[in-house]
Amino acid sequence: MKITKINIKKEKPDFSKLGFGKYFTDHMLVTDYANGKWSELQIVPYDRFSVAPCMASLHYGQGIFEGLKAYKTDNGTTTLFRPLDNLERMNRSAQRLCMPQIDVKIVSDGIKELLKIDEDWIPSLPGTSLYIRPTMIATEEVLGVHPSKSYKFFVILSPVGSYYANGLAPTKILVEQEYVRAPIGGTGATKCMGNYAASLLAGEKANRKGYDQALWLDVDHKYVEEVGAMNIFFVIDGIVKTPALVGSILPGITRDSVLKLLKKNGIPAEETRILISEVYDAYRAGTLTEAFGSGTAAVISPVGVLGYRGEDLIINKNKIGPISKQLYDELTGIQYARIKDEFGWVQYLK
Ligand code: PLP
Ligand code: COI
């Protein structure tokens, strides 16, 4: 791996006011794909790229990304949470978008080297972490619609606080009744850039009405899918339910971790198709006791208000519920190495 270090380090932001994804560290990891292979990984100063106006990804959206985090533990070590799962998911996204596979081991070693160089950017205040964003874009300079012959892969790092402005305070989510995020057979199960572009309008609509994000339903507006940047869970009649991975939603790594934690704790959980009408009926019957989202950026985000057909369903008096709280504590406990990791999820930066 070639390493070119920056001469003068950037000034750090105030780590108590980070927000999400606003600051970037001193270095980044890059490699280019041409003639059927990736070049040697390089760590270079974080800087702008120069790109051709005709570059394929700018026109046809052949672009994918991932999101994972590094955490500073109380004793000063750095952990990574399930990094190989993110890189393997990136390879599945790449396959769906006709993009080349990355070598998961080489890239994860590269990310660890990058983290060592920029380790002083990992914030340590409660609720903060270093967000890692691997990205792949098509770089061929041609306007024909076909899979690009060349690509750029890069990893940038951003010290972050909580994704939602109000931290662990319950979120307000609006059930989207008009637009659709992804059909089965589409790209909904991948982390491709176009999914996010397609979700913006519903997100804006939700924001304008005073909600944080939209809850997507399936193409027939019957079944619950996921939220803009997180998977969704409902606690109904004491059973934790989350939409099954039918091919239109992202198989979240936090979602998978939540299901494994629930199983370990003996809390009944189901991956199933969930009718939005079933959620509403449970609310009316008083059996919908909690709702929460899960994601790398969102961690565990309780849902306090669900806007549905002009009505605000207030869940658990708009407070974080016991299952959401337990999951938040356990998940972050494992990530920050305060709790023993029985699952082999955490990797240490040595
Ligand atoms: N769903 C969407 C659309 C997302 O963008 C994310 C975030 O990555 C998730 C779900 C949660 O996935 P993960 O837990 O792997 O971060
Ligand atoms: C993540 O949780 O990693 C996400 O990608 C969510 C969002 C910032 C796109």
Side-chain angles (χ1 to χ4, degrees):
M1 189 180 327
K2 253 170 67 185
I3 300 175
T4 314
K5 284 201 194 172
I6 201 156
N7 291 327
I8 303 161
K9 290 201 152 208
K10 269 188 283 198
E11 209 179 299
K12 306 266 188 314
D14 179 346
F15 280 179
S16 69
K17 298 193 181 99
L18 287 171
F20 185 82
K22 293 192 279 192
Y23 307 100
F24 298 92
T25 68
D26 291 321
H27 298 88
M28 60 184 180
L29 188 70
V30 287
T31 171
D32 291 293
Y33 183 90
N35 302 318
K37 58 177 196 294
W38 290 104
S39 63
E40 185 186 356
L41 278 182
Q42 287 196 50
I43 291 174
V44 296
Y46 175 93
D47 204 355
R48 290 174 171 75
F49 298 128
S50 159
V51 297
C54 62
M55 181 171 91
S57 58
L58 294 183
H59 296 267
Y60 308 123
Q62 216 192 350
I64 55 175
F65 68 95
E66 268 303 326
L68 62 153
K69 279 177 171 173
Y71 306 84
K72 188 56 80 184
T73 70
D74 294 338
N75 66 16
T77 54
T78 296
T79 60
L80 275 160
F81 188 69
R82 306 185 66 173
L84 300 181
D85 293 281
N86 285 93
L87 297 176
E88 279 158 13
R89 185 171 66 188
M90 189 162 199
N91 272 340
R92 292 196 298 276
S93 298
Q95 194 271 336
R96 178 66 180 80
L97 273 89
C98 294
M99 300 173 87
Q101 298 287 293
I102 52 165
D103 186 313
V104 166
K105 172 83 174 79
I106 292 175
V107 169
S108 79
D109 288 348
I111 290 175
K112 286 180 185 160
E113 287 311 308
L114 177 66
L115 286 172
K116 281 182 203 162
I117 289 173
D118 281 350
E119 202 167 1
D120 56 348
W121 280 89
I122 307 175
S124 58
L125 292 171
T128 64
S129 54
L130 189 72
Y131 187 74
I132 304 169
R133 172 53 66 87
T135 310
M136 194 194 298
I137 52 172
T139 54
E140 190 178 347
E141 299 182 11
V142 64
L143 290 184
V145 180
H146 60 247
S148 174
K149 291 189 178 61
S150 58
Y151 298 87
K152 186 178 279 298
F153 172 87
F154 55 92
V155 181
I156 54 175
L157 308 175
S158 176
V160 298
S162 69
Y163 185 65
Y164 295 106
N166 296 327
L168 197 53
T171 51
K172 276 185 83 172
I173 304 291
L174 180 65
V175 179
E176 174 55 49
Q177 303 274 4
E178 183 185 357
Y179 303 112
V180 168
R181 178 181 175 272
I184 292 173
T187 56
T190 74
K191 228 166 150 54
C192 75
M193 296 173 181
N195 288 345
Y196 296 82
S199 75
L200 294 176
L201 193 55
E204 285 297 288
K205 188 168 99 182
N207 290 160
R208 253 195 333 272
K209 293 185 171 179
Y211 298 84
D212 298 298
Q213 279 198 19
L215 172 67
W216 294 104
L217 303 179
D218 74 322
V219 286
D220 297 320
H221 294 106
K222 277 166 81 178
Y223 292 99
V224 174
E225 298 257 289
E226 63 180 323
V227 181
M230 54 189 196
N231 294 110
I232 188 84
F233 290 77
F234 298 99
V235 184
I236 297 175
D237 262 335
I239 299 171
V240 186
K241 296 187 175 192
T242 194
L245 301 177
V246 290
S248 51
I249 65 170
L250 192 77
I253 290 157
T254 321
R255 173 190 180 280
D256 180 72
S257 308
V258 163
L259 288 169
K260 290 187 169 126
L261 284 170
L262 290 167
K263 189 162 184 210
K264 189 202 83 172
N265 292 326
I267 300 170
E270 276 176 15
E271 295 176 76
T272 177
R273 297 216 83 186
I274 305 169
L275 288 163
I276 189 65
S277 59
E278 177 190 339
V279 175
Y280 184 74
D281 292 347
Y283 173 77
R284 284 266 148 248
T287 54
L288 172 67
T289 50
E290 288 182 53
F292 62 90
S294 73
T296 298
V299 196
I300 300 292
S301 288
V303 177
V305 178
L306 193 64
Y308 180 58
R309 294 195 166 153
E311 191 181 339
D312 271 347
L313 319 187
I314 313 290
I315 303 167
N316 193 43
K317 301 193 177 81
N318 198 16
K319 290 200 175 65
I320 183 165
I323 295 178
S324 316
K325 178 75 171 73
Q326 183 183 350
L327 287 166
Y328 178 86
D329 289 345
E330 271 198 76
L331 183 69
T332 55
I334 293 170
Q335 289 166 336
Y336 289 89
R338 286 191 288 263
I339 295 179
K340 192 167 167 285
D341 169 22
E342 296 172 24
F343 301 93
W345 288 337
V346 166
Q347 292 199 8
Y348 285 86
L349 199 66
K350 289 189 201 80

